[in-house]
Amino acid sequence: MTARGITCLALILLATGARAQYVPEAGCYLGAYIRLDHVVNDDVDAFEALVGKKHATYFRYVGWGAPFPFRWVKELHRRGAMPHIAWEPNRGLGEVLDDDYLRGWAEAAARVGGPIFLRYASEMNGTWQAYSGDPDEYIRKWRMVTRVMREVAPNAVMVWCPFATPQSTIASYYPGDEWVDWVGVNLYSVHHYDGDPDKPALDDPREMLRYVYDLYASRKPIAICEYAATHFCKACGQDVTDFGLTQMTRLYGSLESEFPRVKMINWFCVDTARNGLAHNDYSLTNSDHFLQRYRELTGTPWFLTEVTGGPDQVIAALPPPTPTPIASALPDITSPLELPPVEEDHGPPPVTPHPLALAQLGPVDPDGMDIAVEGAPPHRVQGTVEIVAEPGENLAAAMMTF
C-alpha cells in the first residue's frame, strides 16, 4: 500500500473506531514546549541533544482566527512526533461559530494526514481567559467544535484541559464523556503566586494533579498538558533551584507509581522572566541542575519517545520531504496565574470561502502532481505565499527510487 493509501486508511480508522486513540498501554508520552526557549530557539534537534532523549510530542499555541500551522505539523510528523495544538479563542466565545473559518481550519487539519492533539479553549475554569465565566456557553461551543472536527478532521484527538485551580468550577465546564477524547490539566510549581513577594506558594504538584485525576482517570486518559517548576523567582529575586528540583522530582517521579493513567506530560521550557512575559525561569536549558535532573527523571522506559495506541503508519509512513524551517513567529501564550495572552501577527486572513483550507488539492493524477496555495485560491494570492505539492502514486514511487 502506498503512503497515501495508508494515510486514507488511518483516517477511516480514526473516523469509525473508538475515540480513545493513541493511548499507550503503559507509559507516558514525553513532551515539551520550546518555541520561546532562548537557548534552542525552537530547534527540536538542539533541545533533544541537551535533554538526552527524543520526545514524543511538542505543543504550540494558536489563537482563534490564525491559520492552521500546516508546515509545523508536517515537520513534526516527519520526525515521528505528535503535534499538540492549544487553540485559544482569546477574544471570547462569541467569535466561535460553525463558519468558513472553523471548517477551513478543520480541512487543513485533515489534509496533514497524521494525528494531532487538539487542546481547544483550555483553562476555562479560571477567571483569566476571555472564554471563562459561562459554562453552558462553553460546553455548547466545545461540542460544536468537536462535532466539526470529527466530521471533517477525525485525525484530531480532542483534549479538554482545565487549570488545576480553582477546583470548584472544573466539573461545571466538562462537555461530557462522549465529547472528550482525553482529559488534560495544566499546573505549575511557582515560588510565589502572581509575582507577588507577599504570596508564597506552598503547592505540591502531586496534589494539584490529584483532583482532576480522581475525577476522570477511570474514564479518560489524562494529559498534563503544561507543567514546569521555576529555578529563578523574580518576585523574590532569588535563585530557587532547590525548590524547583524538589517539585519536578515529586511530579515526574510519581507518575508511574501513583498516576499510571497520566499518558502525556509536557514541560513548558521558557524563561518568562528574561522574556518579560512573567516572573519565573522555567527553562531546562538555562540550568545545568535542571537539565541533569530532567535527564534522570525521564530516562526510564516509562517516558515514551514514540506515539503508540493508534494507526502507527499515519506517522511512520509519511514520505520524507525536504525539511522546511518552522515558522518562528511569537505564538499566542496564555499561562495561568501570570502570563498574559500574546498573539501571533499573521495579518488579516485571506477572504475565501474556506480561508484556511488548501485550495482544491487532489485527487491527484497517478502520473502527475497537484500544486495548491495554502490559505487562498490562486486568483486571490498576493505577495509571499506558501504552496503545497502532492505527487501522484506513480510519480511518488519514481521519486523514491532516486
Side-chain angles (χ1 to χ4, degrees), residues 7 54 107 150 244 261 307:
T7 297
K54 182 183 180 296
E107 287 177 13
R150 288 180 177 174
R261 286 287 290 169
V307 173

Side-chain angles (χ1 to χ4, degrees), residues 13-336:
L13 290 172
L14 277 169
T16 60
R19 290 304 310 175
Q21 289 282 5
Y22 306 102
V23 181
E25 292 184 9
C28 175
Y29 296 143
L30 193 58
Y33 174 78
I34 63 171
R35 285 180 65 78
L36 293 183
D37 184 84
H38 69 276
V39 175
V40 301
N41 294 312
D42 203 27
D43 186 322
V44 171
D45 290 332
F47 176 75
E48 292 181 350
L50 285 172
V51 298
K53 190 167 187 177
K54 182 183 180 296
H55 281 43
T57 181
Y58 289 89
F59 80 87
R60 66 173 289 174
Y61 303 90
V62 174
W64 191 272
F68 180 83
F70 195 90
R71 286 188 301 162
W72 177 79
V73 169
K74 293 291 279 188
E75 172 65 10
L76 286 184
H77 281 161
R78 186 188 67 81
R79 293 175 173 275
M82 182 87 146
H84 167 183
I85 300 171
W87 195 18
E88 300 183 334
N90 290 319
R91 291 181 291 272
L93 293 173
E95 65 178 357
V96 180
L97 303 170
D98 187 352
D99 58 7
D100 286 344
Y101 170 74
L102 172 57
R103 290 186 172 270
W105 204 94
E107 287 177 13
R111 288 184 184 276
V112 298
I116 59 172
F117 288 119
L118 183 56
R119 176 170 35 121
Y120 166 72
S122 60
E123 300 178 10
M124 77 305 292
N125 58 305
T127 59
W128 51 85
Q129 301 285 27
Y131 42 86
S132 300
D134 187 340
D136 291 339
E137 180 68 2
Y138 176 90
I139 289 172
R140 282 194 292 272
K141 293 301 176 76
W142 170 278
R143 291 179 177 179
M144 181 191 72
V145 170
T146 299
R147 184 174 59 251
V148 170
M149 298 308 295
R150 288 180 177 174
E151 174 189 337
V152 180
N155 53 316
V157 179
M158 298 299 297
V159 183
W160 177 79
C161 180
F163 190 64
T165 59
Q167 294 177 352
S168 61
T169 54
I170 288 176
S172 65
Y173 284 91
Y174 188 59
D177 286 351
E178 67 272 31
W179 297 98
V180 172
D181 300 328
W182 286 50
V183 167
V185 61
N186 291 351
L187 57 141
Y188 286 79
S189 293
V190 298
H191 197 259
H192 285 80
Y193 297 127
D194 304 323
D196 187 339
D198 294 326
K199 296 181 179 180
L202 302 173
D203 301 308
D204 182 328
R206 295 168 298 185
E207 298 312 311
M208 295 176 74
L209 166 64
R210 197 177 304 278
Y211 180 79
V212 167
Y213 188 88
D214 288 348
L215 272 180
Y216 300 107
S218 64
R219 315 195 308 269
K220 299 291 178 181
I222 303 298
I224 300 174
C225 294
E226 298 179 23
Y227 176 72
T230 182
H231 53 84
F232 174 77
C233 175
K234 187 177 179 181
C236 62
Q238 295 180 9
D239 182 297
V240 293
T241 295
D242 289 343
F243 164 85
L245 291 175
T246 297
Q247 297 291 61
M248 69 189 292
T249 301
R250 284 172 171 167
L251 185 59
Y252 279 80
S254 68
L255 294 184
E256 182 176 2
S257 59
E258 293 186 49
F259 305 101
R261 286 287 290 169
V262 170
K263 298 299 182 180
M264 174 170 62
I265 184 169
N266 300 286
W267 186 277
F268 183 80
C269 192
V270 181
D271 182 352
T272 67
R274 174 190 175 106
N275 288 347
L277 294 173
H279 312 283
N280 290 286
D281 187 352
Y282 301 119
S283 177
L284 296 169
T285 65
N286 214 25
S287 167
D288 290 340
H289 295 293
F290 263 43
L291 270 178
Q292 180 60 32
R293 183 64 57 83
Y294 187 80
R295 291 190 198 105
E296 294 167 357
L297 291 168
T298 62
T300 70
W302 186 257
F303 291 98
L304 306 176
T305 62
E306 303 288 343
V307 173
T308 61
D312 297 332
Q313 305 94 325
V314 175
I315 292 178
L318 288 174
T322 302
T324 55
I326 300 174
S328 59
L330 187 67
D332 283 345
I333 297 178
T334 303
S335 185

